[in-house]
């Protein structure tokens, strides 16, 4: 691609030419990258600043590898190549990437959702609706990237802008028509989705889980809110009115706004007559105010029932978000209902691993809202005793450990929990995620103040073994924690077969067969290869 075509809509502050001073329309660019190791001949290298490093430090290496143009935020001395100075290289990378792949997000109906909790579940549920209507669909999120029937594991919740536009281009080339994707606050702040053409956007909940990545809660909120505020007038924005902070956003976007609530009945859609069967909700949806589909069709007021196949009060909010996305995409109500009913959950999001003589559940328990949702869901289940194994999260500071412990303690006094089995999962975390003495001490201090017994193990398998040994009929075992518990499900199920030989091996093996999280990279690659080949 000619450099002049690539630079369309890019604001260049100034430039420094190399000695040849080649005219811009004569320069051919065959590749864009922000990693100097990926540079080849005729590459445009973009210097972006990250939390750990600065791309400007690698510009000279990029030139030595064949880069012919460098995008910078400040000029680099003694660099004999064309430098183009911009005010925001991340924003520029997003524009360049969209130009390079010929604006692929315009070729599909794109749904993006931001929230503290539930993004993954909502995108998977929406994917099921697309499948129910027999659409060729894609998915981009925390766990994986899916292009029709092919998958690959994700590195980021929302990929860097170049990688994101490359995925969109692959999807366009595979004739994908509908895509659902998670949009993280950091992705919004770092301009990864800048110049991406969203058709439906949603903001469903917020709590102070990821403030660490931002200057303050206000900065965190504004990052997420930008998905709604920047939505085009041709798009639709979906907002949860039961989250008071989100209500003002209805007046801060050009998009058509569809609002919903369970407690707040003033919106476009309400949920009522909520019933639970073994913790799984069904309810009546009422469209109180008409709204338009993306094609301009009018959806009139009506009521209908919606049944889920996953438990939890919070699942109602996720389901309504997916429902609106389906309806706005001109999918008939009956297909939306079937898609939501078909959805059986996502790995590590209140995933029921085993459900026979006792239940085994895997959840992240990353923050207060996550814990509240999980425990509220369990409260609707019948059980004798709840056993909890929690892998404490490292690298988040003592304040975070205190918040998690205080929230768990609040629920312990409401539910039948005898003790907590705690682990730092020392052999299963990277150096950056190791639990500090201060983080562990903060957690244990709260447990002691609340007179909750704690059995501590450094190693994950030791903690899981004790919990499985304690399991009796009609009990629930909840395993929880962030990345340190990623291998917990596999180890727990293997221990079930070892310690309780009468368990349903077929049920366990089916879950193990479908797992991707917790596999080492070689096994994951082999499983993905077989999946993509239809083996």
């Amino acid at each position: 691609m000619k450099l002049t075509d690539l630079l369309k809509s890019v604001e260049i502050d100034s430039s420094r030419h190399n000695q040849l001073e080649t005219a811009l329309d004569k320069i051919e660019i065959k590749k864009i990258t922000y990693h100097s190791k990926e540079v080849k001949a005729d590459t445009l290298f973009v210097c972006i600043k990250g939390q750990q490093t600065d791309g400007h430090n690698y510009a000279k290496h990029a030139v030595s590898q064949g880069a012919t143009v460098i995008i910078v935020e400040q000029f680099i001395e003694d660099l004999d190549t064309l430098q183009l100075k911009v005010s925001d290289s991340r924003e520029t990378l997003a524009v360049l990437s969209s130009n390079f792949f010929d604006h692929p997000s315009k070729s599909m109906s794109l749904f993006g959702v931001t929230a503290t909790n539930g993004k993954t579940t909502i995108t998977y549920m929406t994917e099921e609706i697309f499948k129910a209507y027999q659409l060729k669909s894609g998915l981009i999120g925390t766990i994986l990237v899916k292009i029709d029937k092919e998958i690959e594991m994700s590195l980021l919740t929302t990929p860097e802008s170049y990688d994101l536009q490359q995925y969109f281009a692959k999807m366009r080339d595979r004739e994908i028509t509908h895509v659902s994707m998670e949009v993280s606050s950091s992705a919004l702040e770092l301009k990864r989705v800048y110049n991406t053409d969203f058709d439906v956007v949603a903001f469903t909940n917020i709590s102070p889980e990821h403030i660490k990545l931002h200057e303050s809660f206000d900065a965190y909120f504004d990052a997420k809110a930008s998905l709604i505020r920047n939505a085009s007038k041709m798009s639709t924005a979906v907002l949860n009115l039961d989250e008071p902070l989100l209500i003002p956003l209805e007046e801060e976007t050009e998009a058509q706004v569809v609002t919903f609530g369970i407690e707040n009945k003033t919106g476009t859609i309400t949920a009522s007559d909520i019933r639970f069967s073994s913790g799984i909700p069904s309810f009546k949806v009422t469209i109180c105010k008409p709204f338009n589909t993306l094609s301009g069709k009018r959806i009139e007021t009506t009521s209908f029932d919606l049944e889920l196949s996953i438990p939890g009060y919070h699942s109602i909010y996720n389901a309504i978000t997916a429902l609106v996305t389906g309806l706005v995409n001109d999918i008939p109500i009956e297909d939306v209902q079937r898609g939501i009913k078909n959805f059986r959950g996502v790995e590590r999001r209140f995933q029921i691993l085993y459900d026979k003589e006792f239940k085994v559940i895997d959840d992240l328990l990353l923050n207060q809202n996550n814990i509240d949702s999980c425990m509220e869901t369990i409260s609707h289940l019948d059980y004798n005793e709840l056993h909890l194994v929690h892998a404490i999260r490292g690298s988040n500071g003592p304040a975070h450990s205190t918040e998690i412990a205080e929230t768990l303690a609040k629920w312990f006094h409401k539910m039948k929990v005898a003790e907590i089995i705690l682990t730092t999962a020392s052999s299963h975390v990277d150096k950056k995620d190791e639990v500090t003495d201060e983080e562990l001490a903060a957690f244990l201090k709260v447990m002691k103040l609340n007179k909750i017994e704690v059995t501590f193990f450094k190693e994950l398998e030791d903690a899981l073994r004790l919990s499985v040994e304690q399991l009796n009929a009609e009990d629930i075992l909840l395993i929880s924690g962030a990345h340190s518990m990623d291998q917990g499900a596999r180890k727990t199920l293997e221990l079930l077969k070892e310690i309780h030989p009468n368990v349903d091996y077929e049920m366990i093996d089916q879950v193990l067969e479908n797992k991707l999280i917790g596999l080492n990279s070689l096994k994951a690659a082999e499983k993905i290869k077989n999946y993509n080949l239809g083996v």
Side-chain angles (χ1 to χ4, degrees):
M1 176 178 281
K2 298 295 183 185
L3 181 60
T4 47
D5 294 330
L6 196 58
L7 292 175
K8 286 180 180 177
S9 300
V10 175
E11 293 187 15
I12 306 297
D13 291 348
S14 56
S15 63
R16 281 188 182 177
H17 293 268
N18 59 8
Q19 293 176 349
L20 298 176
E21 295 195 9
T22 307
L24 297 187
D25 61 353
K26 301 296 184 183
I27 298 175
E28 187 77 22
I29 298 297
K30 296 180 180 179
K31 181 180 176 65
I32 298 174
T33 186
Y34 54 95
H35 286 304
S36 63
K37 292 180 180 179
E38 296 179 359
V39 171
K40 297 179 181 179
D42 301 319
T43 292
L44 183 148
F45 177 71
V46 184
C47 301
I48 61 173
K49 296 178 180 179
Q51 289 183 322
Q52 305 296 328
T53 187
D54 184 345
H56 292 78
N57 297 332
Y58 300 92
K60 290 183 179 179
H61 179 254
V63 171
S64 71
Q65 296 296 109
T68 53
V69 181
I70 309 292
I71 301 292
V72 298
E73 290 185 3
Q74 62 266 345
F75 288 121
I76 301 167
E77 298 301 324
D78 303 321
L79 198 63
D80 188 26
T81 194
L82 174 61
Q83 298 181 60
L84 302 176
K85 183 174 175 292
V86 297
S87 59
D88 188 332
S89 59
R90 284 187 170 277
E91 186 175 299
T92 299
L93 175 62
V95 176
L96 292 170
S97 300
S98 181
N99 289 345
F100 188 73
F101 292 108
D102 195 20
H103 313 289
S105 64
K106 294 182 181 294
S107 302
M108 58 202 69
S109 179
L110 179 60
F111 165 57
V113 57
T114 195
T116 301
N117 298 302
K119 296 187 297 295
T120 303
T121 297
I122 291 168
T123 55
Y124 275 70
M125 195 178 286
T126 303
E127 163 82 355
E128 284 295 338
I129 293 173
F130 292 157
K131 286 164 59 179
Y133 196 49
Q134 298 184 329
L135 297 170
K136 287 191 72 173
S137 59
L139 185 147
I140 299 172
T142 302
I143 300 174
L144 53 80
V145 174
K146 177 178 173 293
I147 303 176
D148 194 18
K149 296 179 181 179
E150 293 191 11
I151 63 171
E152 64 179 78
M153 299 301 288
S154 298
L155 297 176
L156 295 167
T157 296
T158 309
E160 190 57 75
S161 57
Y162 177 83
D163 306 304
L164 179 64
Q165 296 300 328
Q166 188 172 46
Y167 282 132
F168 289 149
K170 289 180 181 178
M171 290 177 178
R172 176 192 58 204
D173 296 344
R174 302 276 185 88
E175 299 182 331
I176 298 297
T177 60
H178 291 72
V179 178
S180 55
M181 67 173 290
E182 300 179 50
V183 185
S184 67
S185 58
S186 58
L188 287 158
E189 188 165 277
L190 298 175
K191 308 292 182 69
R192 291 177 191 158
V193 295
Y194 186 83
N195 215 41
T196 294
D197 190 48
F198 287 102
D199 297 278
V200 184
V201 292
F203 190 176
T204 59
N205 61 71
I206 188 165
S207 63
E209 161 66 4
H210 301 295
I211 294 179
K212 184 179 178 183
L213 301 174
H214 306 271
E215 294 179 359
S216 64
F217 180 80
D218 287 343
Y220 175 50
F221 175 81
D222 285 339
K224 287 191 168 299
S226 68
L227 183 65
I228 305 299
R229 289 170 176 156
N230 296 334
S232 75
K233 62 183 179 181
M234 301 301 293
S235 67
T236 295
V238 186
L239 294 172
N240 172 15
L241 294 183
D242 287 348
E243 287 276 357
L245 285 174
L246 307 189
I247 294 174
L249 293 176
E250 186 173 1
E251 305 299 326
E252 298 175 12
T253 181
E254 293 183 348
Q256 170 187 237
V257 178
V258 177
T259 57
F260 68 89
I262 301 173
E263 299 166 7
N264 188 324
K265 303 291 187 182
T266 65
T268 314
I269 294 174
T270 61
S272 59
D273 298 338
I274 298 170
R275 306 167 298 280
F276 287 93
S277 175
S278 299
I280 296 175
S282 58
F283 54 96
K284 183 172 77 172
V285 174
T286 300
I287 299 177
C288 305
K289 304 171 186 177
F291 58 94
N292 294 326
T293 69
L294 294 173
S295 69
K297 177 184 173 183
R298 188 175 173 86
I299 297 178
E300 301 292 350
T301 58
T302 188
S303 293
F304 52 90
D305 290 329
L306 201 61
E307 295 182 18
L308 278 63
S309 296
I310 56 169
Y313 189 82
H314 64 284
S315 297
I316 299 172
Y317 292 101
N318 296 340
I320 297 175
T321 306
L323 165 100
V324 175
T325 304
L327 294 179
V328 167
N329 275 282
D330 290 283
I331 298 174
I333 288 174
E334 55 270 23
D335 293 294
V336 172
Q337 289 170 311
R338 188 169 68 257
I340 290 175
K341 180 71 173 176
N342 288 345
F343 175 69
R344 301 287 174 175
V346 183
E347 280 194 69
R348 304 231 52 218
R349 275 71 175 174
F350 203 91
Q351 182 185 14
I352 299 178
L353 301 171
Y354 187 79
D355 190 9
K356 280 291 185 78
E357 58 269 43
F358 37 68
K359 283 185 174 67
V360 179
I361 300 168
D362 185 10
D363 205 344
L364 292 167
L365 301 196
L366 293 178
N367 53 53
Q368 181 178 341
N369 282 3
N370 192 186
I371 295 169
D372 288 344
S373 297
C374 176
M375 294 301 184
E376 186 275 334
T377 301
I378 290 176
S379 72
H380 289 285
L381 305 177
D382 293 324
Y383 65 94
N384 285 332
E385 190 171 6
L386 175 62
H387 306 269
L388 174 63
V389 180
H390 184 68
I392 187 170
R393 189 178 188 182
S395 76
N396 276 256
H400 179 76
S401 294
T402 298
E403 178 191 328
I404 296 296
E406 288 177 345
T407 309
L408 286 173
K410 176 189 71 175
W411 281 100
F412 278 25
H413 296 309
K414 295 180 181 180
M415 304 172 75
K416 297 172 247 182
V417 184
E419 65 170 346
I420 178 171
I421 301 174
L422 190 68
T423 179
T424 49
S426 299
S427 299
H428 298 284
V429 292
D430 296 330
K431 184 76 174 175
K432 64 180 179 63
D433 292 323
E434 287 180 354
V435 179
T436 66
D437 292 341
E438 292 78 13
E439 287 170 328
L440 178 59
F443 194 101
L444 293 174
K445 180 180 178 181
V446 173
M447 293 294 124
K448 185 176 181 180
L449 288 172
N450 284 273
K451 297 181 172 57
I452 296 169
E453 183 180 344
V454 177
T455 302
F456 174 73
F457 294 97
K458 285 186 65 176
E459 296 301 335
L460 177 62
E461 186 165 350
D462 294 333
L464 294 173
R465 180 174 291 277
L466 176 60
S467 68
V468 173
E469 288 173 347
Q470 292 178 345
L471 265 180
N472 294 310
E474 306 303 322
D475 285 356
I476 293 177
L477 168 58
L478 173 62
I479 62 172
S480 64
H483 297 304
S484 49
M485 187 56 85
D486 279 353
Q487 295 188 38
R490 182 170 300 277
K491 290 183 178 297
T492 301
L493 293 174
E494 290 169 350
L495 286 167
L496 280 183
K497 293 198 290 187
E498 174 190 332
I499 296 169
H500 299 275
N502 293 324
V503 294
D504 188 330
Y505 276 51
E506 185 177 346
M507 176 182 286
I508 290 173
D509 290 343
Q510 184 64 46
V511 174
L512 290 173
E513 177 63 27
N514 292 327
K515 280 197 71 61
L516 285 172
I517 294 177
L519 292 180
N520 66 43
S521 57
L522 290 177
K523 287 184 177 179
E526 182 65 24
K527 179 166 281 193
I528 289 170
K529 178 182 177 182
N530 290 338
Y531 178 93
N532 292 339
L533 292 173
V535 177

